[in-house]
Amino acid sequence: MLTPNQAAALNAAFAQLQRGDAAGAKTAVSAVLASARGAPAALHLYALCQRDSGDHAGARASFEAALMGAPKDVNILNNYGAFLRLVGDLTGSEARLAQATGLAPQRADLWINLAVTQMELRRYRAARQSAARAAELAPSNPSPLLARAGAERELGEFEAAEASLRQALGLAPQNGAIWTALGVVRRLIGDPTDALECYAKARALGFETPELLDAEASAYLDAGAPAKALASARALTQAAPAYVAGHELLAHMLWENGAGEENDPLAAFARAV
């Protein structure tokens, strides 16, 4: 049990972490742990500090120690699940998040986080179910609908995905991510022109991501405009050289549509390396 002074110190450290000072927050939490060894709340915050400092092994150990003292703490389980997804332990992430939803089934944020992990595991039916549960719990939040649409799209349920996205746009018409997702679905349905209009709306709202450029290039290709598609793919690799999917897209386009030494499909990969 923390004393009022220790609890206040943890609150101050958490505010410090939120400001981006992970090192300072970690030092402050260490001082609390010196006098409250094994306190789950302190270990939880220490794990978050380690996570933000890049000490993933240390963060994992601290999360585990925190759960030893508070195995049913939903916030620890939620943050631990998100952390495990970050470091690539998707199976562990799903297990912790499923445990959290079992303890607090009325919290929509837990179901959304679980759906995200299930999407990465390619467990699309489970992800759809988790996202649908979140949508029921938070009917005014577009995020569960966006997550559900992603699962429906991967399952080939394009019309259902479009319906989910249009419902989400009814809640957040200025959300560029939703417009981008709708464009992807419209292209898969077979309307690349409409898809490009959706991407234009996303860009007008200030949404500019590698995924948007990637989607635009593919839509131009489907619309029978290979020159525009190629230009978009080149712009993508220049704007986001670490986005591997962009290099793959450009290489395929150059293989099919390019000519001459300047259009070597492997050149962009070599420059990126």
Side-chain angles (χ1 to χ4, degrees):
M1 192 72 176
L2 296 172
T3 67
N5 286 341
Q6 289 169 336
L10 287 185
N11 287 335
F14 182 64
Q16 203 170 1
L17 181 65
Q18 287 185 310
R19 292 194 298 270
D21 184 7
K26 185 177 176 183
T27 299
V29 179
S30 295
V32 174
L33 282 170
S35 57
R37 189 176 300 277
L43 287 167
H44 180 198
L45 184 52
Y46 197 70
L48 297 177
C49 293
Q50 291 171 305
R51 176 200 66 189
D52 289 2
S53 300
D55 180 7
H56 292 168
R60 190 174 197 136
S62 295
F63 273 121
E64 290 287 352
L67 283 176
M68 286 288 290
K72 294 185 178 181
D73 189 305
V74 172
N75 291 323
I76 297 176
L77 287 166
N78 186 35
N79 283 326
Y80 191 20
F83 166 77
L84 290 173
R85 182 172 66 240
L86 172 70
V87 298
D89 183 358
L90 297 177
T91 301
S93 174
E94 183 182 31
R96 292 305 187 185
L97 291 169
Q99 192 178 352
T101 59
L103 291 166
Q106 300 305 310
R107 275 185 53 174
D109 63 313
L110 302 178
W111 288 105
I112 294 174
N113 286 341
L114 178 57
V116 171
T117 291
Q118 289 167 333
M119 284 291 291
E120 292 196 24
L121 281 166
R122 299 185 180 181
R123 289 179 16 84
Y124 301 127
R125 294 187 187 282
R128 179 181 57 186
Q129 185 175 351
S130 296
R133 179 65 178 140
E136 292 173 2
L137 293 168
S140 62
N141 185 347
S143 296
L145 295 166
L146 181 59
R148 188 177 74 189
E152 290 166 337
R153 184 189 71 205
E154 294 297 337
L155 289 167
E157 300 170 358
F158 302 140
E159 289 76 12
E162 180 176 1
S164 294
L165 290 167
R166 292 199 182 280
Q167 187 180 347
L169 283 174
L171 298 171
Q174 304 301 309
N175 189 307
I178 299 174
W179 279 109
T180 301
L182 180 58
V184 171
V185 170
R186 289 300 302 159
R187 172 181 166 253
L188 291 171
I189 287 174
D191 192 342
T193 302
D194 192 29
L196 288 166
E197 291 177 3
C198 290
Y199 302 145
K201 289 177 181 176
R203 178 168 283 106
L205 291 168
F207 189 78
E208 190 80 43
T209 66
E211 289 77 13
L212 175 58
L213 288 168
D214 189 345
E216 279 184 325
S218 298
Y220 278 128
L221 201 59
D222 286 358
K228 286 185 176 180
L230 196 54
S232 294
R234 288 189 192 280
L236 169 59
T237 58
Q238 291 168 3
Y243 182 68
V244 177
H247 294 287
E248 293 175 343
L249 176 66
L250 177 59
H252 283 298
M253 287 185 179
L254 289 172
W255 181 261
E256 294 175 1
N257 301 289
E261 186 177 341
E262 71 278 8
N263 289 321
D264 176 8
L266 300 180
F269 284 107
R271 286 193 298 271
V273 170

